[in-house]
Amino acid sequence: MHFQRQTISVEEALRRLLAGLTPLQEEQVGIGEAHGRTLARDLAATCDMPPFDRSPLDGFAVRAADTAGATPDRPVRLRVLETVGAGQIPRQTVTAGTAVRIMTGAMMPPGADAVIMFEQTEQPGELLEWVGVKRPLRPGENISRRGEEIAAGTCVAQAGTRINAGTLAVLATFGYAQVPVVRRPRVGLISTGTELLDVDQPLEPGKIRNSNAVMLSALIAEAGGIPVLCGRLPDDLALAKRHMAKCLEEVDLLVTSGGVSVGDFDVMAALADDPDVTLLFNRVAMRPGGPTTALLYRDKLVCALSGNPGACFLGAELFVRPVLRRLQGDREAGLRRIRATLAETYDKPCPYPRYLRGRLTEREGKLYVVPDHNDKAGNLATLGKSECFLIIPAGGRGKQAGETVDVIPHAAPDWRDEA
Ligand SMILES: Nc1nc2c(c(=O)[nH]1)N[C@H]1C(S)=C(S)[C@@H](COP(=O)(O)OP(=O)(O)OC[C@H]3O[C@@H](n4cnc5c(N)ncnc54)[C@H](O)[C@@H]3O)O[C@H]1N2
Ligand code: MOO
Ligand SMILES: [Mg+2]
């Protein structure tokens, strides 16, 4: 068994994982299916936005010069030529002494160079043949100019961007009914452990239900992958190899849980000696999840996470999520770190950096992180409440309340599985 292992940092482990990855192929999806997908190409504005000069208000389109000297007591009266609603094309030209009644979003009539809102005219709400303008306007006032926000040809969405509601609005505006996205990575999931029962099975002595598989499925889907459940494996090396090889044929990446430590039955650890395997790492300087392993099996990536639920969750967030983001072309795949003030002392010493689950709170403009003291690698009761990992550096006596620590927020879990 692999008692001698080279320990590498989390950053180095991530570097090794991402180094060999190239984004998967492009495919086209309808915009209705594009939410949560990742753009495969830069997309440009196909027209100016707005595409024509328009009114941002309900009011009157006028010539600013006509409104000089207007006051509430001495309004300037203009003759109203017509009414233009959004979507209509004005027929009249505004000339000296005239105005056009115009609605928000409607095209500006020729001749007009400003808009006055209803509220700044006499008798707003009444349909009259004239309008009394109660203040002077500057030329150009209250007009949204063609192309003022976005000029045609400008890049409006970049390759590698995760498509959210806002991106969808941009794509729709420019007529992208079909969207070029990166194919979603198919991720095989294998749970190792003779002790595992399915979720719907009654407990038996010495056994536990498989909680990692559904947790990992959800995390994979959140990161844009398609989880492919490849079943459970007893702790048998030959069987594990055969099963893994078969599963790998159908997927882009395999994620396993359990069997990475130095136990007699830790099958994933034993694979390190296999001639078909190139080991990327099998010990990371972190707690929990120190024995987290990554390897290439016949050139396909296998992330072998620790079986302990807390360590498995950490491994998935630190390593599997960035791998999936990179496979989808996200150039910034990696771990976003922020700094926060520790709200409660955590003074357990540890030879490696400790990645504690935590929650973020804000008080008087300052960001605090509250560590989860339910931090044994096998504990899972508080997983659902975790918002981030906070990092207690190696050695020393932990960190005192009030000290600053590095924090890795969980990626916003606003991506539900759309597979
Ligand atoms: N002598 C040593 N023993 C251990 C060491 C060590 O350095 N020397 N490291 C410990 C650490 S740290 C961890 S982490 C675990 C890693 O264990 P494995 O990844 O080999 O995982 P297993 O042994 O298969 O299981 C660990 C634990 O998790 C439970 N488990 C496994 N799979 C699931 C699942 N799908 N759902 C829920 N729970 C699961 C399993 O029953 C065990 O209790 O090794 C330590 N030992
Ligand atoms: O690396 Mo283990 O998950 O600390 O117990
Ligand atoms: Mg083990």
Coordinates of all heavy atoms in Angstrom, one line a residue, residues 1-3 5 192 235-237 258-271 283 291:
M1 N 0.8 -1.2 0.0 CA 0.0 0.0 0.0 C 0.9 1.3 0.0 O 2.1 1.2 0.3 CB -0.9 -0.1 1.2 CG -2.1 0.9 1.2 SD -2.9 1.1 -0.4 CE -3.6 -0.6 -0.6
H2 N 0.3 2.4 -0.4 CA 1.1 3.6 -0.6 C 1.3 4.5 0.6 O 0.6 5.5 0.7 CB 0.5 4.3 -1.8 CG 0.6 3.5 -3.0 ND1 1.6 3.6 -3.9 CD2 -0.3 2.5 -3.5 CE1 1.4 2.7 -4.9 NE2 0.3 2.1 -4.6
F3 N 2.2 4.0 1.4 CA 2.5 4.8 2.6 C 3.4 6.0 2.3 O 3.3 7.0 2.9 CB 3.1 3.9 3.7 CG 2.1 2.9 4.3 CD1 2.0 1.6 3.8 CD2 1.2 3.3 5.2 CE1 1.1 0.7 4.3 CE2 0.2 2.4 5.7 CZ 0.2 1.1 5.3
R5 N 4.0 8.8 0.1 CA 3.4 9.6 -1.0 C 4.0 11.0 -0.9 O 4.4 11.5 0.1 CB 1.9 9.8 -0.7 CG 1.2 8.4 -0.7 CD -0.3 8.7 -0.5 NE -1.0 7.4 -0.4 CZ -2.4 7.3 -0.6 NH1 -3.1 8.3 -1.0 NH2 -2.9 6.1 -0.4
T192 N -17.0 3.6 -4.2 CA -16.4 2.4 -3.8 C -16.7 2.2 -2.3 O -16.9 3.2 -1.5 CB -14.9 2.4 -3.9 OG1 -14.3 3.2 -2.9 CG2 -14.5 2.9 -5.3
D235 N -14.8 -3.4 -2.6 CA -13.4 -3.1 -2.5 C -12.6 -4.3 -3.1 O -11.9 -5.0 -2.4 CB -13.0 -2.8 -1.1 CG -13.8 -1.7 -0.5 OD1 -13.9 -0.7 -1.2 OD2 -14.3 -1.8 0.7
D236 N -12.6 -4.4 -4.4 CA -11.9 -5.5 -5.1 C -11.2 -4.9 -6.3 O -11.8 -4.4 -7.2 CB -13.0 -6.5 -5.5 CG -12.4 -7.7 -6.4 OD1 -11.6 -7.4 -7.3 OD2 -12.8 -8.8 -6.2
L237 N -9.9 -5.0 -6.3 CA -9.1 -4.3 -7.3 C -9.4 -4.7 -8.7 O -9.6 -3.8 -9.6 CB -7.6 -4.4 -7.0 CG -6.6 -3.6 -7.9 CD1 -6.9 -2.2 -7.8 CD2 -5.2 -3.9 -7.5
G258 N -14.1 7.3 -2.1 CA -13.6 6.2 -1.2 C -12.4 5.5 -1.8 O -12.0 5.6 -2.9
G259 N -11.8 4.8 -0.8 CA -10.7 3.9 -1.2 C -9.4 4.5 -1.6 O -8.6 3.9 -2.4
V260 N -9.1 5.7 -1.1 CA -7.9 6.4 -1.6 C -6.8 6.4 -0.5 O -5.7 6.9 -0.7 CB -8.1 7.8 -2.0 CG1 -8.9 7.8 -3.3 CG2 -8.8 8.7 -1.0
S261 N -7.2 5.9 0.7 CA -6.2 6.0 1.8 C -5.3 4.7 1.9 O -5.1 4.1 0.8 CB -7.0 6.2 3.1 OG -6.2 6.3 4.2
V262 N -4.8 4.4 3.0 CA -3.8 3.3 3.1 C -4.4 2.0 3.6 O -3.7 1.1 4.0 CB -2.6 3.8 4.0 CG1 -1.8 4.9 3.3 CG2 -3.1 4.2 5.4
G263 N -5.7 1.9 3.6 CA -6.4 0.7 4.2 C -6.1 -0.5 3.3 O -5.8 -0.4 2.1
D264 N -6.3 -1.7 3.9 CA -6.1 -2.9 3.1 C -7.0 -3.0 1.9 O -6.7 -3.7 0.9 CB -6.5 -4.1 4.0 CG -5.5 -4.2 5.2 OD1 -4.5 -3.5 5.1 OD2 -5.8 -5.0 6.1
F265 N -8.2 -2.3 1.9 CA -9.2 -2.5 0.8 C -9.3 -1.2 0.0 O -10.3 -1.0 -0.7 CB -10.5 -2.9 1.4 CG -10.4 -4.1 2.3 CD1 -10.5 -4.0 3.7 CD2 -10.2 -5.4 1.7 CE1 -10.4 -5.1 4.5 CE2 -10.1 -6.5 2.5 CZ -10.2 -6.4 3.9
D266 N -8.3 -0.3 0.2 CA -8.5 1.0 -0.6 C -8.0 0.8 -2.0 O -6.9 1.0 -2.4 CB -7.7 2.0 0.2 CG -8.4 2.6 1.4 OD1 -9.7 2.4 1.4 OD2 -7.8 3.1 2.3
V267 N -9.0 0.4 -2.9 CA -8.7 0.0 -4.2 C -8.2 1.2 -5.1 O -7.3 0.9 -6.0 CB -9.9 -0.6 -4.9 CG1 -10.2 -2.0 -4.4 CG2 -11.1 0.3 -4.9
M268 N -8.7 2.4 -4.9 CA -8.3 3.4 -5.8 C -6.8 3.8 -5.5 O -6.1 4.1 -6.5 CB -9.1 4.7 -5.6 CG -10.6 4.5 -5.9 SD -10.9 3.9 -7.6 CE -10.2 5.1 -8.6
A269 N -6.4 3.6 -4.3 CA -5.0 3.9 -4.0 C -4.1 2.8 -4.7 O -3.0 3.2 -5.2 CB -4.8 3.8 -2.5
A270 N -4.5 1.6 -4.7 CA -3.7 0.5 -5.3 C -3.6 0.7 -6.8 O -2.6 0.2 -7.4 CB -4.4 -0.8 -5.0
L271 N -4.4 1.4 -7.4 CA -4.3 1.6 -8.9 C -3.1 2.4 -9.3 O -2.7 2.3 -10.4 CB -5.5 2.5 -9.3 CG -6.8 1.7 -9.7 CD1 -7.9 2.7 -10.0 CD2 -6.6 0.8 -10.9
R283 N -1.5 12.7 -2.7 CA -1.6 13.3 -1.3 C -1.5 14.8 -1.5 O -0.6 15.4 -2.1 CB -0.5 12.8 -0.4 CG -0.5 13.5 1.0 CD 0.2 12.7 2.1 NE -0.5 11.5 2.4 CZ -1.5 11.4 3.3 NH1 -2.0 12.5 3.8 NH2 -2.1 10.3 3.6
P291 N -5.7 12.4 1.4 CA -5.4 11.3 0.4 C -6.0 11.5 -1.0 O -6.0 10.6 -1.8 CB -5.8 10.0 1.0 CG -6.6 10.4 2.2 CD -6.6 11.8 2.5

